[in-house]
Amino acid sequence: MNIETKMWLVHASCPQEEQIQEAAAWLREGRTVAFPTETVYGLGADARSTEAVAAIFEAKGRPSDNPLIVHLADRSQLTELTASPEEAVLCLLDAFWPGPLTVVLPVREGVLSPLVTAGLSTVGVRIPDHPVARALIAAAGCPVAAPSANRSGRPSPTLAAHVLEDLGGRIAGIVDGGAAGVGVESTVVEYRDGTVYVLRPGGVTAGELARTLPDGVRLVMAAEAAPAAEETPRAPGMKYAHYAPRGLLTIVHGHDREAVLARMRRELEAARARGERTGALLLGGHAEAVPADHVSVCGERTDLELVARGLYAALRAFDEAGASFIVAEACPETGLGEAIMNRLRKAAGGRELHV
Ligand code: AMP
Ligand code: MG
């Protein structure tokens, strides 16, 4: 696959009309266009067109049983796509749309390409809170299917340069509106029988959801309840390895930070002795705290928003440095920490140490 990938440079807060109109026309013509959202960069295509959506799966190398989230410019578009949401879901939409919350709803027959839903009877939808995404989707005038704009399995892109690195030559265009916002993907929820299930933690935290739900509606974190191998997970994407740098990543957990750093040093020294090129992900402090060929200091343990924003760029930096062995310190799993640790765990594929 080698097509020319066009770049449109736009102002994030006030994107130029001419650029947006051209990118939107490309989407309407069935081409794939990446664009910034307030979570990460998405790879968009007309969600009604099977040919256009097939190009997303092809460019990403994404398994066809992992459905795509459909992005809308405003809520009036929802009625065309789904059955009307229950009261509890409406509460969430009022509170978090536009924003990093995806709701899974029963899809109307025949309105979307079956590739978008991977054959499920439901569709995940959201309205992104980013001026470029909103302007582009509104101008395209169609529902836009948009998974993260990375090769399947890689860390999600938070800059246009990351998209180009992964998908340059494989997609029609990229709208470059600077750095994406939150840095981790949307929270995916589904409501059934008085319970809201969190299928994937993300930019909206469990605490924020709980505070918004009407009395009597339960909130259940379904993401961590790993399904048995033969069982179909509710969010099909949960079964795939994800977000991973090329080197093997190991998470180090512990309440005592000094002990965590000491364990990281030991692991790094042993890896170096084996001839590995080493990397370390620290959440705050100084790079000199550990002896690695490449150290990414990503935010501060006490400021999880900062950690989320820098996480994927930090993981990508290990590839640039050629790291084959990486240790990463864990963060507290409160608030955004839940989404951050969910991503790190998938990147680690089960390699976790406790001190
Ligand atoms: P991505 O597009 O890479 O951000 O991933 C989208 C996530 O949402 C994946 O984990 C999907 O499995 C999940 N998802 C999308 N649509 C649905 C749906 N209809 N039902 C359940 N999960 C969904
Ligand atoms: Mg993704």
Side-chain angles (χ1 to χ4, degrees):
M1 202 187 241
N2 198 10
I3 53 177
E4 195 184 330
T5 300
K6 174 162 182 140
M7 297 284 285
W8 294 275
L9 195 59
V10 302
H11 301 297
S13 53
C14 178
Q16 304 87 316
E17 188 62 21
E18 199 181 318
Q19 328 271 58
I20 292 296
Q21 286 302 338
E22 189 180 17
W26 283 34
L27 281 174
R28 272 198 306 277
E29 286 164 19
R31 291 195 250 190
T32 46
V33 174
F35 57 90
T37 80
E38 85 285 25
T39 59
V40 301
Y41 269 73
L43 176 60
D46 182 346
R48 302 164 307 182
S49 158
T50 289
E51 210 174 312
V53 174
I56 291 181
F57 283 92
E58 166 88 29
K60 284 186 56 106
R62 184 172 172 112
S64 60
D65 62 351
N66 193 2
L68 307 181
I69 292 172
V70 172
H71 293 65
L72 308 177
D74 73 80
R75 222 154 118 175
S76 63
Q77 288 175 282
L78 193 61
T79 39
E80 296 161 29
L81 303 184
T82 72
S84 47
E86 315 251 6
E87 198 52 43
V89 174
L90 289 175
C91 269
L92 296 179
L93 303 192
D94 287 341
F96 300 110
W97 274 13
L101 180 75
T102 296
V103 293
V104 171
L105 292 166
V107 67
R108 288 193 196 283
E109 220 169 294
V111 294
L112 295 172
S113 162
L115 285 186
V116 169
T117 57
L120 299 173
S121 58
T122 54
V123 61
V125 260
R126 81 177 191 101
I127 300 178
D129 186 16
H130 190 294
V132 175
R134 295 283 293 283
L136 181 66
I137 299 164
C142 60
V144 174
S148 50
N150 50 277
R151 287 282 288 170
S152 205
R154 299 257 300 137
S156 302
T158 48
L159 291 172
H162 299 159
V163 182
L164 196 62
E165 188 178 285
D166 274 21
L167 300 176
R170 307 180 67 88
I171 61 174
I174 303 172
V175 182
D176 180 355
V182 187
V184 290
E185 295 82 349
S186 61
T187 303
V188 180
V189 297
E190 183 173 20
Y191 175 83
R192 264 177 300 115
D193 306 327
T195 302
V196 169
Y197 296 90
V198 178
L199 304 183
R200 173 178 75 180
V204 174
T205 66
E208 289 170 320
L209 291 172
R211 277 196 290 282
T212 309
L213 286 172
D215 288 346
V217 177
R218 289 200 319 147
L219 184 70
V220 171
M221 302 302 292
E224 299 306 322
E230 69 279 10
E231 206 180 302
T232 311
R234 284 206 203 89
M238 281 158 51
K239 73 179 181 214
Y240 294 107
H242 248 104
Y243 318 113
R246 295 191 184 94
L248 284 187
L249 183 144
T250 302
I251 302 172
V252 184
H253 298 262
H255 292 299
D256 176 356
R257 184 147 196 264
E258 276 315 309
V260 168
L261 289 176
R263 182 62 188 266
M264 290 173 87
R265 278 183 218 114
R266 281 217 319 273
E267 295 294 327
L268 289 166
E269 276 153 14
R272 225 177 224 180
R274 294 194 298 271
E276 307 252 23
R277 217 177 141 68
T278 55
L281 178 68
L282 297 182
L283 309 182
H286 297 288
E288 296 74 37
V290 288
D293 296 311
H294 176 82
V295 180
S296 285
V297 181
C298 178
E300 266 300 330
R301 290 162 62 86
T302 49
D303 184 349
L304 295 177
E305 287 185 17
L306 208 57
V307 174
R309 229 176 289 145
L311 180 67
Y312 289 136
L315 292 178
R316 280 175 178 266
F318 292 122
D319 291 344
E320 249 160 71
S324 58
F325 177 88
I326 302 154
V327 280
E329 73 170 306
C331 72
E333 284 187 66
T334 50
L336 261 186
E338 189 143 20
I340 293 166
M341 286 308 298
N342 169 273
R343 307 308 190 263
L344 264 186
R345 282 213 176 87
K346 295 207 168 172
R351 285 173 299 275
E352 301 189 35
L353 300 171
H354 296 262
V355 297

